[in-house]
Amino acid sequence: MVSILLSHWMRERRNPFLLLLFIGISIIATLMFGGGMTQKMKIDVFSETGELKESEKEWLLLLNKGDTFKFRAQDEQSARTKVREGRADLAVKLTGDDYRIIAVKESPNAQLAEQHIRTVFERELELRAVSAAAGDEKGFRSRIDTYLEEPPLTLQVKGTDGEELLRYDMGLQLMFGFSLFLVMLTIGFKVNTITKDKITGIWSRLILSPVRKSEIYFGHLLYSTMIGIVQITVVFLIFRYAFNFGLGHRYGLLLLVIALYSMTIVAMCILLAGILRTPEKFNMLFPSIVPIMPLVSGVYMPPGTITSPILLGVAEIFPITHAMEALTGIAIYDNGIGELWLPLSKLILIAVLCMGIGINLMERRHV
Amino acid sequence: MLETVELRKVFKGKTAVEEVSLYLKEGESVGLIGPNGAGKSTTISMISSLLKPTAGDVRLNGQSVIKHPQQLRKVLGVVPQEIALYEELSSYENLKFFGKVYGLKGKELELKIQELLDMVGLRDRQKELIRTYSGGMKRRINIAVALMHDPKIVIMDEPTVGIDPQSRNHILDTVRHLSREKGTTVLYTSHYMEEVEQLCSRMYIMDHGRIIASGTKEELQLILSGEETLLLRLDRQHAEFTEELQTLAAVRQVEETELGLKLIVTKNHQILSRVVQAAERFDVQILNIHIDSPSLEDVFLHLTGRNLRD
Ligand SMILES: Nc1ncnc2c1ncn2[C@@H]1O[C@H](COP(=O)(O)OP(=O)(O)O)[C@@H](O)[C@H]1O
Ligand SMILES: [Mg+2]
């Protein structure tokens, strides 16, 4: 068995590019698609009169409450140039207690920003009007604030299915999604070396040697699992320490999920290799089957986006669905093993079934 | 030492091997010869315990090894027909890996690797990747790998298919070395008659899954002992002349060659004059006549009605 691991390792050292490539893609894809989620959109603000007046600075503060946009003072000239040249979707011109939007084209971002600005102005102006009518402006405002913080009536927001709305972190979710997806490719190509070895006759050579068949299989599977664990772990570490992603504090549990997931993917690949028979067919079809899984599982979308019962049912058989649930559970909700046993046991079940059927199929077609 | 008893293999209703009984005595080199698809590789797979026979038995020193192949596997080295090597590793690494698989290590492993590299003449290129080797060099390493554990019996499946003369000579030398210096028992499969003639003391001729003849070179030639070959060099090919020759009673076979015709005829004192008369009738000039006893290729042609390589 050790010699099988050795054969893989010797070849890996010769040719580590695929592994490095998939690690690289995991990182770049997350940064490309997940980067926008964590960064605020920057919007330039300028005043009619050049310098921002005191009252206008107050408006700037109000506009900057909220997570989505970052408003910043800018001189008129450069703000307008940016919009004209398309480097910014819009700019805002403040005119005392009113504003103008400077934009050259319609865009979803501009619409969102416009809506936000309008809400802020309307609300503040209303407050001012009411508090002026009430006479004691300061007292009124502080009472309003208290009310807002501790309302006599609380409204609980629930999803359409009666569940609590999920908290989620799209950047983190995408990072998990891409790592789990790309590791499928790495593991798939590793597992495919079994069928390749059977064709080249290397498998027969090993069968004739004192190494037992179970050891040969075990060596291949162990190596594929380990390389999967290494790949995911490297990506997670890079995001934790270079990009400051919050992964929760249960690292042991994360590692357990990663290991179980890698194992399940190995089993799934064995099954696919068994069904697809030849390494050529596997190389051709596997990379086109695999990307469907994260799509159906909805790992690239906010939780709850997919509602079709058929898709949800299909997603149940994909390991990535359960690994995703477990990982976000640990990183975002601080779930412990008690809350994770369901997705984890589903992973194990899939692993056992795929491995059993897969090895049987492989054996039926060869010595 | 090693024998098969009426081996049979049926693939999905198609019989690939039938009633194959052969034996190898200790230290003997035996050839197994036959055209493509004759069933040689299938037979070898069954002998080396990689394929379960549909019927029949394989025995090592009288004991069946079908159920418990461990004893056989220990003493057996198989050179597969395909190149079973890691292309992305060097030949040194391949030998090292398979040596480790057989439990060799340290100095012993290192010595064995260098000995075999010497034997196949690739010692100075051991650091190069298999992928960069020529077909012949790959075949030489393919053989070396099978010898890492000093097997007592070596089975080679067409080790010289499609390679350069230099590599072929190396391989033939290797086989001679194994059998003469080391006393290894060899089963050598090929569809080159001259190789088997050179290397093997006995041979089995296989066609359509069956062994159709066996014995030493001399014994096999006796099959055609009542016959001889006539090689006619002609000034031109002439179809009607060829047809005419075929109608002669003594002529068994007519084959067109580059320079003229090759006839296999029953020994008969009148045959030469008949041939000459026919040539005169069709105005074909005979430049040269060569009379010979039939070769093993002719025996094969006689037995199967076709050439070894088409
Ligand atoms: N795995 C297999 N399944 C079906 N038919 C096979 C298989 N292996 C070999 N055959 C058939 O058995 C016959 C003998 O093949 P083989 O032993 O490879 O011949 P040789 O080695 O003499 O060229 C061929 O007709 C081949 O098509
Ligand atoms: Mg063959």
Side-chain angles (χ1 to χ4, degrees):
Chain A
M1 188 204 77
V2 178
S3 46
I4 307 296
L5 293 181
L6 181 78
S7 80
H8 270 292
W9 174 239
M10 276 158 74
R11 285 182 286 171
E12 196 81 62
R13 237 180 11 178
R14 260 297 130 66
N15 199 352
F17 307 111
L18 208 59
L19 179 65
L20 295 179
L21 178 75
F22 288 147
I23 289 180
I25 297 179
S26 306
I27 294 169
I28 291 168
T30 306
L31 291 181
M32 256 169 57
F33 297 101
M37 314 286 169
T38 50
Q39 267 182 340
K40 293 180 175 182
M41 182 179 157
K42 297 191 179 70
I43 297 173
D44 289 341
V45 176
F46 59 88
S47 160
E48 222 177 3
T49 53
E51 275 290 288
L52 285 188
K53 288 183 293 207
E54 271 316 300
S55 66
E56 286 166 344
K57 280 188 181 151
E58 264 170 46
W59 281 113
L60 198 58
L61 278 177
L62 285 171
L63 283 172
N64 272 329
K65 280 186 184 165
D67 296 330
T68 328
F69 304 101
K70 167 81 186 149
F71 292 88
R72 52 184 187 186
Q74 182 66 275
D75 68 282
E76 178 165 0
Q77 192 66 33
S78 53
R80 279 183 187 277
T81 319
K82 262 196 204 169
V83 173
R84 200 173 330 111
E85 290 175 357
R87 278 182 290 138
D89 283 327
L90 76 163
V92 181
K93 171 177 170 182
L94 291 178
T95 53
D97 289 339
D98 205 355
Y99 66 93
R100 287 278 172 281
I101 301 281
I102 317 290
V104 287
K105 60 179 194 307
E106 286 284 313
S107 81
N109 279 339
Q111 271 175 15
L112 269 177
E114 204 177 332
Q115 200 177 359
H116 170 73
I117 298 166
R118 189 179 336 117
T119 317
V120 170
F121 270 86
E122 276 174 6
R123 196 183 115 123
E124 178 60 20
L125 290 177
E126 218 168 297
L127 262 177
R128 280 186 197 175
V130 177
S131 56
D136 170 20
E137 194 175 330
K138 267 208 172 129
F140 181 80
R141 270 201 182 249
S142 77
R143 254 177 291 142
I144 290 272
D145 285 345
T146 337
Y147 258 131
L148 285 177
E149 262 160 41
E150 284 171 32
L153 275 178
T154 55
L155 197 65
Q156 217 172 3
V157 186
K158 297 221 172 193
T160 42
D161 49 3
E163 300 220 350
E164 266 186 68
L165 272 186
L166 289 171
R167 210 149 41 91
Y168 67 94
D169 175 340
M170 213 50 214
L172 191 63
Q173 195 184 321
L174 283 175
M175 191 271 275
F176 287 156
F178 286 123
S179 330
L180 296 182
F181 161 52
L182 282 152
V183 87
M184 285 199 245
L185 296 175
T186 309
I187 292 177
F189 292 131
K190 278 276 131 36
V191 168
N192 198 28
T193 54
I194 298 179
T195 20
K196 268 191 204 149
D197 283 359
K198 288 194 174 186
I199 299 245
T200 57
I202 287 177
W203 187 268
S204 298
R205 279 217 148 115
L206 293 172
I207 291 289
L208 290 177
S209 78
V211 182
R212 277 196 299 273
K213 190 190 273 188
S214 53
E215 290 180 90
I216 306 177
Y217 270 116
F218 191 65
H220 277 291
L221 303 186
L222 186 62
Y223 188 85
S224 311
T225 307
M226 287 192 325
I227 205 76
I229 296 175
V230 167
Q231 179 175 330
I232 302 183
T233 307
V234 166
V235 176
F236 280 18
L237 286 177
I238 289 175
F239 275 98
R240 172 66 189 82
Y241 292 104
F243 298 98
N244 255 325
F245 274 44
L247 298 178
H249 61 277
R250 297 175 191 261
Y251 290 165
L253 218 48
L254 281 179
L255 194 61
L256 175 72
V257 175
I258 295 172
L260 269 181
Y261 175 72
S262 293
M263 201 185 75
T264 313
I265 293 300
V266 170
M268 185 188 81
C269 294
I270 292 271
L271 178 64
L272 286 173
I275 293 172
L276 295 175
R277 288 173 174 214
T278 68
E280 291 78 26
K281 251 200 217 148
F282 186 92
N283 274 343
M284 210 169 62
L285 290 178
F286 180 73
S288 41
I289 296 174
V290 160
I292 299 171
M293 299 186 183
L295 285 181
V296 173
S297 301
V299 303
Y300 304 140
M301 288 169 273
T305 311
I306 292 179
T307 51
S308 148
I310 297 172
L311 286 185
L312 289 174
V314 173
E316 277 292 306
I317 64 169
F318 298 149
I320 194 170
T321 313
H322 309 296
M324 200 65 197
E325 188 185 332
L327 288 179
T328 45
I330 298 168
I332 301 180
Y333 309 113
D334 195 26
N335 282 347
I337 192 87
E339 289 113 321
L340 293 178
W341 69 269
L342 189 60
L344 293 190
S345 37
K346 282 180 188 166
L347 278 181
I348 294 172
L349 182 69
I350 296 172
V352 170
L353 284 178
C354 289
M355 191 75 82
I357 301 170
I359 295 218
N360 249 305
L361 281 177
M362 279 194 160
E363 279 298 293
R364 193 169 309 167
R365 294 193 176 131
H366 220 278
V367 271
Chain B
M1 185 170 204
L2 186 64
E3 63 178 325
T4 71
V5 184
E6 311 213 324
L7 275 184
R8 191 148 85 101
K9 184 68 195 179
V10 180
F11 290 115
K12 294 188 195 101
K14 186 175 168 289
T15 307
V17 168
E18 191 149 35
E19 285 176 25
V20 167
S21 299
L22 50 81
Y23 66 91
L24 300 173
K25 282 189 274 193
E26 188 158 2
E28 205 183 17
S29 292
V30 175
L32 178 60
I33 195 152
N36 274 329
K40 304 182 297 294
S41 296
T42 308
T43 304
I44 283 182
S45 292
M46 288 190 285
I47 297 177
S48 52
S49 79
L50 286 168
L51 190 67
K52 243 198 174 56
T54 311
D57 201 1
V58 179
R59 293 182 190 154
L60 178 68
N61 299 324
Q63 289 208 305
S64 174
V65 289
I66 303 251
K67 288 242 168 60
H68 302 286
Q70 291 82 357
Q71 276 313 106
L72 174 64
R73 286 178 181 180
K74 252 188 238 161
V75 296
L76 187 70
V78 178
V79 179
Q81 185 172 355
E82 64 275 23
I83 309 278
L85 301 170
Y86 292 115
E87 294 259 328
E88 59 273 67
L89 298 181
S90 67
S91 54
Y92 172 80
E93 288 168 318
N94 269 283
L95 288 167
K96 189 168 183 171
F97 169 69
F98 285 105
K100 284 194 171 173
V101 163
Y102 275 95
L104 297 179
K105 36 182 178 298
K107 200 152 183 203
E108 190 194 4
L109 174 63
E110 215 49 48
L111 282 174
K112 193 76 211 166
I113 294 173
Q114 298 309 327
E115 177 199 326
L116 288 173
L117 283 167
D118 257 341
M119 191 166 163
V120 298
L122 286 170
R123 188 170 183 158
D124 49 340
R125 308 193 59 168
Q126 56 179 294
K127 295 279 180 242
E128 292 168 39
L129 303 190
I130 297 289
R131 194 191 295 136
T132 65
Y133 277 10
S134 73
M137 288 155 71
K138 288 181 191 177
R139 291 234 165 248
R140 288 193 253 163
I141 297 297
N142 205 33
I143 293 174
V145 164
L147 304 177
M148 278 304 287
H149 61 298
D150 266 332
K152 288 201 163 42
I153 308 172
V154 173
I155 301 183
M156 300 191 178
D157 195 352
E158 305 204 20
T160 55
V161 157
I163 63 174
D164 54 293
Q166 194 202 353
S167 285
R168 173 194 285 245
N169 286 335
H170 265 292
I171 289 176
L172 298 185
D173 283 344
T174 304
V175 178
R176 275 188 210 106
H177 174 83
L178 282 175
S179 103
R180 286 183 200 155
E181 320 279 315
K182 302 208 149 194
T184 312
T185 310
V186 178
L187 180 61
Y188 189 93
T189 303
S190 178
H191 57 232
Y192 296 103
M193 187 61 90
E194 63 278 11
E195 287 181 359
V196 174
E197 272 186 69
Q198 280 179 39
L199 294 174
C200 304
S201 52
R202 276 193 308 126
M203 69 187 81
Y204 292 91
I205 297 182
M206 208 173 169
D207 193 27
H208 297 303
R210 290 169 182 272
I211 289 177
I212 51 173
S214 66
T216 60
K217 182 180 171 190
E218 293 72 27
E219 285 167 347
L220 287 169
Q221 276 172 333
L222 275 182
I223 294 175
L224 289 182
S225 63
E227 268 127 278
E228 53 195 8
T229 2
L230 295 189
L231 289 170
L232 307 181
R233 247 180 84 198
L234 307 172
D235 62 338
R236 64 198 166 106
Q237 296 285 7
H238 192 292
E240 283 166 53
F241 172 58
T242 310
E243 273 170 40
E244 173 75 13
L245 288 180
Q246 258 155 354
T247 64
L248 295 179
V251 174
R252 305 282 296 261
Q253 245 150 21
V254 183
E255 200 188 338
E256 294 198 348
T257 65
E258 279 163 48
L259 298 172
L261 294 175
K262 176 171 157 185
L263 313 187
I264 293 180
V265 299
T266 3
K267 282 187 180 151
N268 177 328
H269 56 278
Q270 288 181 336
I271 184 70
L272 271 182
S273 61
R274 294 266 163 82
V275 169
V276 173
Q277 281 165 18
E280 276 170 4
R281 257 206 314 286
F282 290 96
D283 199 21
V284 176
Q285 227 185 325
I286 298 178
L287 307 173
N288 182 337
I289 297 185
H290 184 81
I291 305 177
D292 205 350
S293 51
S295 70
L296 284 177
E297 299 257 5
D298 298 327
V299 172
F300 187 85
L301 186 66
H302 167 77
L303 288 171
T304 64
R306 54 194 173 127
N307 270 310
L308 262 173
R309 295 179 295 281
D310 284 320

